Amino acid sequence: MEYRLRFERLNSDNQLLAETDTVLGGKIHHLSGNAIKRTAEFLIREVNVTLDDYEDMVVADGPLFYYRLGETSGTNANDSTANNLDGTYQDTPTLNSASLISDLTNGSVTLNGSSEYVSNAHNAAFAVSNITLEGWATTTGTSGTLINRDNGSTQRQCNVAINSSGNIVVTLIFSGPVVGTFTATGPVNDWQSFHLAVV
């Protein structure tokens, strides 16, 4: 069994500091006959990590595409992978907005939740039967789509949206009838940065 862990240092106001702790090694104690407990030992070394390092790690995992959404101008949402599946900004979103992570200066994009979004033309590589989605966002919305791959007919995989309670709702489709709809507990529409991961 493999575990991937990330440690983050917070200041007294619970804001993320630029330095991120990296696990050098450690061990987790657990016997199969016992209930799982939060018991572990780790060796920690503090290092400086930038969002560029994060991008390198994401790309090294081999995603189909990765949009950093940090452009300062233009209409392309650049794909950082070698697949060159660039997206296109629709309407006029605000580029180079403030970073979603405190104490870092890397830009982000602000979308209005309706006419502004990133689109991508159909590509045969998108026709998958397993999917992993990941992203960072902030929102105050009580409706709207975060990630969508569903043209209503032949290209259908998923829809990730915010419901009226501010919760994340994931609908999986995969080119046929709906496989399932899953609603996360706890609202995320408080304009605080959140990390989204769907597998």
Side-chain angles (χ1 to χ4, degrees):
M1 184 176 295
E2 178 181 344
Y3 294 88
R4 292 186 179 184
L5 304 161
R6 175 176 174 172
F7 291 83
E8 298 175 336
R9 271 198 338 165
L10 305 178
N11 64 19
S12 58
D13 295 321
N14 270 344
Q15 294 175 323
L16 178 65
L17 298 178
E19 296 83 11
T20 299
D21 297 329
T22 299
V23 177
L24 288 181
K27 51 191 174 181
I28 298 176
H29 301 282
H30 175 62
L31 298 176
S32 60
N34 296 342
I36 294 176
K37 298 180 179 180
R38 299 173 185 171
T39 302
E41 296 177 6
F42 298 101
L43 303 175
I44 306 296
R45 178 184 66 185
E46 182 180 299
V47 294
N48 289 326
V49 175
T50 68
L51 284 186
D52 292 332
D53 297 319
Y54 176 76
E55 179 174 341
D56 290 342
M57 289 186 287
V58 171
V59 172
D61 277 342
L64 185 58
F65 57 85
Y66 172 59
Y67 299 145
R68 168 66 186 82
L69 304 181
E71 289 80 18
T72 58
S73 63
T75 59
N76 271 7
N78 298 314
D79 177 15
S80 297
T81 75
N83 298 322
N84 298 315
L85 296 171
D86 291 352
T88 303
Y89 287 115
Q90 301 298 316
D91 207 349
T92 54
T94 303
L95 303 183
N96 202 29
S97 296
S99 174
L100 299 187
I101 301 178
S102 300
D103 298 333
L104 294 179
T105 58
N106 306 68
S108 64
V109 62
T110 300
L111 307 167
N112 65 7
S114 57
S115 63
E116 296 173 354
Y117 56 93
V118 175
S119 68
N120 204 315
H122 172 64
N123 186 297
F126 296 159
V128 298
S129 57
N130 295 285
I131 196 166
T132 297
L133 306 168
E134 181 183 5
W136 288 86
T138 61
T139 185
T140 58
T142 54
S143 66
T145 297
L146 297 173
I147 303 171
N148 178 268
R149 168 71 174 155
D150 181 8
N151 70 352
S153 59
T154 57
Q155 287 106 47
R156 311 189 73 188
Q157 265 88 37
C158 64
N159 185 68
V160 181
I162 299 283
N163 68 11
S164 59
S165 299
N167 297 55
I168 300 287
V169 179
V170 177
T171 303
L172 299 178
I173 307 160
F174 293 114
S175 297
V178 171
V179 175
T181 298
F182 309 91
T183 302
T185 58
V188 296
N189 61 339
D190 56 3
W191 202 242
Q192 298 299 309
S193 299
F194 65 90
H195 178 245
L196 168 72
V198 177
V199 179

